[in-house]
Amino acid sequence: MTNPILVEVTRGALVESVHRGAIAVVDSKGKRVVAIGNVDRPVYPRSAVKLIQALPLVESGAADAYGFGPAELALACASHNGEARHTTLAASMLARAGRSVADLECGTHIPSYEPAAADLIRAGESPNALHNNCSGKHSGFVCLACHMGVEVRDYVTETHPVMRAVTAALRDTTGAALGPDVCAIDGCSIPTYGIPLDRMALAFARLATGEGVSPERGKAAKRLMAACMAEPFYVAGTGRFCTDIMTAFAGALFVKGGAEGVCIAAIPALGLGIALKCDDGSGRGTDAMVASVIVALMSPEDAARDAIMSRLYSPVATRRGVKAGEIRPVAGLVESIREGRPVG
């Protein structure tokens, strides 16, 4: 099944490029409210499921043992920019467990936020693992290992007790079979599993409502989701889609993106989970798809509407800042999502 074109990029009067994708919106009982494209095909969720990966940190009591508040919990679910506030907080999380950057096994890359990268270069410093966008999540893994009383080293491996707990949380919330046939290695070195979009959407509908999960898991999920919505800067950072949209919707919407065009969202008041993938992995296509779903389901107003509409129709500009075209959903996409029918 070829997924439909959901986003188009124009220049002048012509459509210059297109992005195909799939969208699943599911309620906590498993009903498909929206199914556009192939939502049954397993895809790697990448960083979009970091909230699920952080569940053992809370459920084990480790988060409370180390005094983690909303900012730390949001960072544990983050794909951050590597800004100073991100790296400082990750280091603080490690220090509370008597650990340091040397214990992180996520690898190193330069900050994704250009001003932070420029500051590092001007200071004559090299990036370290704290600048990795996953350092908050990995700091949580290290703290979980310490709280469990197990060896920290090799915590990224599939057989380590930390990864076993993380995989169990992913399996239990999605209901997906996470076997070796769909297992690969994520960019930060932990296992990642191919999961159908409708199962991801179901998981986040359950976690947003507490339905279909144990009371303990529901409480942990609510705490993590509330932390992300209360401290959206720590989930991503300056200029990032997740941060800007959660800030604008002020506690009404959870959004978390992942690599290669995957994004997860939840609307607690409606009891809905959302999962989508832009087939070519494009961020511009993904943002327009997510914005289309939010506009269709939430009817935003005021500041939230301004924020989401700027992502729904994004300008294509010249190097001098002159608008030459736009990135936009295909005609009828928002209406199709709102009415729960196929595109076209």
Side-chain angles (χ1 to χ4, degrees), residues 99-313:
R99 297 288 176 161
S100 72
V101 63
D103 294 293
L104 295 178
E105 297 178 359
C106 53
T108 298
H109 63 72
I110 198 163
S112 55
Y113 184 55
E114 290 186 5
D119 288 345
L120 203 64
I121 293 169
R122 278 194 293 266
E125 299 177 4
S126 298
N128 58 46
L130 291 171
H131 296 102
N132 187 305
N133 75 93
C134 295
S135 68
K137 176 178 75 172
H138 280 251
S139 295
F141 290 158
V142 170
C143 290
L144 175 57
C146 291
H147 184 72
M148 294 171 71
V150 300
E151 173 64 52
V152 171
R153 190 177 61 184
D154 295 329
Y155 68 84
V156 297
T157 59
E158 188 177 359
T159 57
H160 191 280
V162 167
M163 281 305 110
R164 286 180 176 173
V166 168
T167 301
L170 195 59
R171 180 183 295 110
D172 293 345
T173 54
T174 64
L178 307 182
D181 58 320
V182 293
C183 183
I185 303 174
D186 212 331
C188 67
S189 296
I190 71 168
T192 184
Y193 295 89
I195 302 171
L197 289 173
D198 74 325
R199 306 306 296 183
M200 293 186 225
L202 172 61
F204 278 83
R206 288 171 167 172
L207 296 175
T209 61
E211 298 177 11
V213 296
S214 69
E216 294 77 13
R217 176 146 291 168
K219 183 178 178 181
K222 182 177 181 180
R223 183 175 171 188
L224 285 164
M225 200 169 287
C228 291
M229 293 187 289
E231 296 283 358
F233 172 81
Y234 288 105
V235 176
T238 305
R240 295 279 297 281
F241 182 90
C242 297
T243 293
D244 292 348
I245 297 306
M246 284 196 286
T247 298
F249 278 84
L253 175 69
F254 168 81
V255 182
K256 180 68 186 73
E260 298 301 328
V262 180
C263 192
I264 294 287
I267 308 173
L270 299 181
L272 297 177
I274 300 154
L276 58 82
K277 178 171 172 60
C278 180
D279 283 356
D280 61 14
S282 161
R284 68 182 186 182
T286 306
D287 289 357
M289 288 169 59
V290 179
S292 297
V293 177
I294 295 170
V295 168
L297 299 179
M298 297 191 73
S299 300
E301 299 178 357
D302 303 326
R305 180 174 179 81
D306 292 340
I308 200 65
M309 292 304 291
S310 69
R311 302 286 186 161
L312 190 66
Y313 297 98

